[in-house]
Amino acid sequence: MSEGPNPLPGLWPLVPSGATDWLLDLCGDGPTGFMPPAMPDAVWVLNAMYEHEQGPHDVSYDEYHQARLAEGSTQLHMVGSIGLDDVSIATGGGLGRARHPGPGWRRLRWAELARRTGDPMVPIGLMPSYRCFPSAEKEGSRPLSMIPPTEGSLDRETWNRLIAILVQYSPAGPETRCLAYYNPLTLGATDFDDLHVRAGRLGDTGLLYDQSDADFSPSNLWAADRSWVLCTDYDLWATKVAGSPALITALLNDSEIEAVRLPWAH
């Protein structure tokens, strides 16, 4: 984050929470994000995951964590008198914003992992989440060589590319007026009544990622004319994009974004 005054309040001022009323009518309650139906089409944009080029591929996050506990290099996680490490598994993965981890890591496409494991990219009836790719796990924990997608937020590279495509398929381009909603869980779960909504330009959405009060991309981002809407649910590994067939086709055909149709979650 850059030093100096935060430009977000000026370019993306807060607006009354009633701006989400149409989403409430369309989708129902949105404590983790307002999930829209197809408008008239929809697709799921998958969060990025990464794999280290040299492993270790045979050690899980939980095995590594338990080894560190045994050698005393990390502390037990306690809640009262209960040791969480005794009743839980370190699965790998995280919550909130993410980006490419740097040298030695490469993006691991969902389609590649599906071919490798024999698992479907998303099991029938489910949405993209921690329940995907059970065959890649060892006793519920993922390989230490893999960084799974985070929950609740697009990764930076996917966010940037998605915004670029939205600019192309919005009539006003970067001048398109948009609104952004952050669900209460992204802001510390302190206020479930006065919803946090901001309004600004599509061309200024970089601020929503870099300068936000939340460590998440918006739970919902939509064009003021309601021609498209995004939902990044707090509990999922992907963002649903609802909009025109042309927009959805562009996302499916893009070489950087990985997107899938889910007929049971269309």
Side-chain angles (χ1 to χ4, degrees), residues 131-200:
R131 298 172 71 182
C132 296
F133 302 114
S135 297
E137 300 173 356
K138 180 190 290 186
E139 298 181 351
S141 182
R142 299 177 184 88
L144 193 62
S145 58
M146 180 190 300
I147 299 177
T150 57
E151 296 178 335
S153 178
L154 285 157
D155 58 277
R156 178 183 296 277
E157 290 78 13
T158 302
W159 166 266
N160 289 345
R161 182 58 185 157
L162 177 54
I163 295 300
I165 293 174
L166 289 172
V167 167
Q168 294 177 30
Y169 285 86
S170 298
E175 299 299 322
T176 300
R177 302 305 299 176
C178 299
L179 295 98
Y181 161 65
Y182 291 86
N183 78 65
L185 297 173
T186 67
L187 297 166
T190 58
D191 192 344
F192 285 82
D193 297 318
D194 187 16
L195 302 184
H196 189 98
V197 186
R198 294 185 179 275

